[in-house]
Amino acid sequence: MVQFTHLFQDEKTGERPLRMFSVSHIRPQLPPLRPRKFKQGEDADAYHKNGWWEGVILQEWNNGNYLFMFHSDNQWPKYVVFGVNQLRLHRTWFNGYWVPPVQESELAVEEVQREEEYNEGDLVEVRNDEDGSNRSWFAAIIVKPVGNKRYLIQYVTLETEDNTDFLEKEVDTSHIRPRPPDIVVPDQFVMLDQVDAFYKGGWWKGVIIKVLSGDSKYHVYLATREEMEFKHDELRLHQDWIDGKWTKPSPGVCISKPFCISVDKCSSVIFMYKFLTDVRFILFAAVI
């Protein structure tokens, strides 16, 4: 009988599911490993949706990220770009040993990554994924810890129904992260910049698909599959909180062979982005 640590049966109470597994479906956790370079065609695991998914490296981009293809036919989209901190070399647990074996030079300096802890008054962001989307983060303040890795937080942009105070909520630590550092963009965002857009009181992940000349405004394709217009000061560069560190995105993306598109061709950019976010649309277009 095992209990998951990052999957929830009831996110409001923090209850984690218990499941019965055969010993053949259980293995030890890999020790924390240093980030590494990958080669095209190398088997790897990607950290995605609170688990490690098997796949293969298709291409290294010039910004240090990698285009990854999932082996699972049930995973959509099939192709996703991951940072090096979200990837590890694929290994198999066989007869009590890792294959290939873990070399001492691969081990991270910190052997154990401790659970993030927060103090009263800390400025944080809280994930809103009641629909399972994990697409937006809302600024909040830690009111107090309540035990069992849970905290009482107060939002700074969401109010109660009677609009008399800011909304308070009890959340699990896995739904909390520190406030991201500011990355100054003094001039303009550029095509394909991965950004967060301030919308409905929270920061929503998206990508720049059109720069409106002279207006400091942009068309952003959000993870909600909506295209919306935002001002420069309503956007920030997207960052991911992974293993206690902030991972910065690149200022622009151009996919090289065999997935080469031109950044200055807006229609091609939109086509590729929708390919990465809505494979069903692209498969239909490909058939036509």
Side-chain angles (χ1 to χ4, degrees), residues 4-69:
F4 292 96
T5 58
H6 290 75
L7 297 179
F8 295 91
Q9 186 168 325
D10 187 340
E11 298 210 357
K12 294 182 178 179
T13 63
E15 183 179 355
R16 295 173 171 85
L18 290 167
R19 295 287 187 273
M20 185 78 75
F21 287 99
S22 165
V23 68
S24 62
H25 289 80
I26 301 174
R27 68 181 189 182
Q29 281 191 332
L30 273 167
L33 303 173
R34 297 176 184 270
R36 54 161 289 164
K37 296 275 289 183
F38 291 90
K39 299 176 182 178
Q40 183 176 340
E42 200 165 23
D43 289 330
D45 299 333
Y47 192 76
H48 181 64
K49 295 183 178 179
N50 297 322
W52 289 96
W53 296 71
E54 296 179 17
V56 62
I57 301 294
L58 294 182
Q59 188 75 28
E60 180 181 4
W61 290 5
N62 55 12
N63 56 20
N65 294 334
Y66 294 87
L67 184 62
F68 179 88
M69 182 182 75

Side-chain angles (χ1 to χ4, degrees), residues 54-193:
E54 296 179 17
V56 62
I57 301 294
L58 294 182
Q59 188 75 28
E60 180 181 4
W61 290 5
N62 55 12
N63 56 20
N65 294 334
Y66 294 87
L67 184 62
F68 179 88
M69 182 182 75
F70 291 95
H71 283 329
S72 174
D73 292 330
N74 298 322
Q75 175 60 43
W76 299 105
K78 189 76 170 178
Y79 306 91
V80 176
V81 176
F82 289 105
V84 68
N85 290 326
Q86 298 168 284
L87 297 167
R88 69 185 186 190
L89 183 68
H90 177 69
R91 285 180 164 91
T92 302
W93 182 250
F94 182 72
N95 284 345
Y97 295 94
W98 287 109
V99 180
V102 178
Q103 305 297 327
E104 187 174 350
S105 60
E106 296 181 85
L107 297 176
V109 176
E110 295 183 6
E111 209 168 293
V112 177
Q113 178 72 37
R114 68 177 180 85
E115 188 95 26
E116 193 71 42
E117 295 180 357
Y118 301 96
N119 299 313
E120 182 178 335
D122 281 353
L123 302 178
V124 297
E125 289 188 342
V126 178
R127 185 176 67 198
N128 177 29
D129 59 354
E130 293 181 357
D131 61 351
S133 59
N134 187 17
R135 294 177 295 199
S136 59
W137 291 86
F138 290 78
I141 299 173
I142 297 293
V143 177
K144 63 179 180 180
V146 295
N148 194 28
K149 300 180 181 179
R150 296 178 67 78
Y151 293 86
L152 180 65
I153 60 95
Q154 184 179 56
Y155 292 102
V156 300
T157 58
L158 300 181
E159 296 183 341
T160 57
E161 291 184 2
D162 57 7
N163 297 322
T164 58
D165 201 356
F166 289 106
L167 182 67
E168 292 188 353
K169 184 179 180 181
E170 190 177 305
V171 295
D172 188 272
T173 186
S174 63
H175 288 66
I176 305 173
R177 69 181 187 182
R179 294 271 183 96
D182 291 330
I183 301 179
V184 179
V185 182
D187 299 319
Q188 279 191 326
F189 294 96
V190 298
M191 287 289 297
L192 286 184
D193 267 351

Side-chain angles (χ1 to χ4, degrees), residues 260-274:
C260 187
I261 59 174
S262 174
V263 173
D264 61 354
K265 294 180 180 178
C266 186
S267 60
S268 297
V269 169
I270 298 171
F271 189 85
M272 175 57 75
Y273 186 77
K274 288 184 176 180

